[in-house]
Amino acid sequence: DVKVTQSSRYLVKRTGEKVFLECVQDMDHENMFWYRQDPGLGLRLIYFSYDVKMKEKGDIPEGYSVSREKKERFSLILESASTNQTSMYLCASSLIGSGVEQFFGPGTRLTVL
Amino acid sequence: GENVEQHPSTLSVQEGDSAVIKCTYSDSASNYFPWYKQELGKRPQLIIDIRSNVGEKKDQRIAVTLNKTAKHFSLHITETQPEDSAVYFCAARELTGGGNKLTFGTGTQLKVEL
């Protein structure tokens, strides 16, 4: 069974703080993804990574950066958190392929005050 | 890049009725279309998918149809049950140098009423 875990379920931070969200998968997946989920906007891709140290911008990368130093771990970094980054953040992973399932983590509800 | 539109945003049906959710996509090169279900407080999970070389796929009470010419695909749920109540997301795979990138629709909140 694929397991994708995220470091926190709930997180409260202050404006201007540096925030780290961590995601770990245990199935040796090459691809990892960070999404944010907002009501009425669906799942929007922030960044994804198809290999260690490789990353590609998604649809809404502004204000975020990522790090993938090990295959199983993908971190999302908010350099200077702002209130408009209050959201649910979902990590996902998948094998490489033309049509393969993405497995999601439980999500981190981030509130920026 | 790819753009996926999903309708309706909310759908309420009586138990036992059918539910249909529709999506359109913009990139004719997209070739993989999954549907994810997200129950309240839980993570999205894949329920069915279809590839561009197939027009229809069924799995028990759920089916997906694809019209490549019109660039739209639909999810059909028959004999709905209360446990079908959830948010459903369609998605389209966008070809990119890095691999398996999905663009999701904005979601449909399905409520099955007793």
Side-chain angles (χ1 to χ4, degrees):
Chain A
D1 224 15
V2 176
K3 196 168 183 183
V4 182
T5 57
Q6 295 182 226
S7 49
S8 307
R9 288 303 302 270
Y10 300 94
L11 208 51
V12 180
K13 296 292 181 181
R14 298 226 173 257
T15 302
E17 280 193 80
K18 191 168 186 176
V19 182
F20 293 88
L21 302 182
E22 280 219 319
C23 176
V24 177
Q25 49 92 7
D26 66 358
M27 285 301 291
D28 204 34
H29 284 172
E30 293 87 358
N31 289 336
M32 295 188 76
F33 309 84
W34 275 106
Y35 296 91
R36 64 176 282 177
Q37 182 175 16
D38 300 288
L41 297 178
L43 299 165
R44 293 181 294 165
L45 183 65
I46 303 171
Y47 267 98
F48 70 105
S49 169
Y50 49 92
D51 201 352
V52 175
K53 296 191 188 295
M54 303 303 287
K55 62 185 179 186
E56 215 169 295
K57 291 180 180 178
D59 300 315
I60 51 164
E62 297 78 19
Y64 303 94
S65 63
V66 290
S67 173
R68 192 160 180 208
E69 296 296 319
K70 292 185 177 181
K71 190 175 185 179
E72 67 270 19
R73 191 178 299 267
F74 192 35
S75 301
L76 180 69
I77 304 155
L78 288 67
E79 293 290 341
S80 178
S82 64
T83 55
N84 62 13
Q85 292 178 311
T86 291
S87 187
M88 171 67 82
Y89 290 87
L90 287 164
C91 174
S93 73
S94 78
L95 292 167
I96 277 187
S98 62
V100 294
E101 181 176 358
Q102 288 190 14
F103 293 88
F104 284 85
T108 296
R109 172 75 65 185
L110 173 66
T111 301
V112 182
L113 301 175
Chain B
E2 177 65 275
N3 181 49
V4 177
E5 294 191 0
Q6 181 172 349
H7 299 281
S9 57
T10 61
L11 180 59
S12 186
V13 299
Q14 294 292 314
E15 183 180 7
D17 286 351
S18 295
V20 180
I21 303 170
K22 298 182 179 182
C23 290
T24 61
Y25 61 99
S26 61
D27 187 353
S28 56
S30 291
N31 62 0
Y32 172 68
F33 307 92
W35 286 87
Y36 284 78
K37 175 184 180 182
Q38 186 178 30
E39 296 176 9
L40 188 63
K42 296 192 175 179
R43 67 192 77 187
Q45 290 191 297
L46 179 72
I47 55 170
I48 195 167
D49 56 18
I50 190 166
R51 284 162 175 74
S52 58
N53 58 348
V54 175
E56 183 175 358
K57 183 177 178 180
K58 284 185 79 172
D59 183 3
Q60 299 183 343
R61 294 186 299 108
I62 59 173
V64 58
T65 58
L66 171 65
N67 183 326
K68 283 175 59 180
T69 304
K71 290 189 283 187
H72 66 70
F73 57 113
S74 301
L75 178 71
H76 305 254
I77 306 174
T78 58
E79 299 170 25
T80 53
Q81 300 168 4
E83 52 265 37
D84 295 327
S85 295
V87 178
Y88 291 81
F89 294 99
C90 63
R93 178 184 179 257
E94 183 176 344
L95 293 173
T96 175
N100 189 21
K101 178 189 173 189
L102 295 177
T103 299
F104 285 85
T106 50
T108 296
Q109 174 78 60
L110 173 64
K111 184 176 180 183
V112 180
E113 297 176 331
L114 298 170

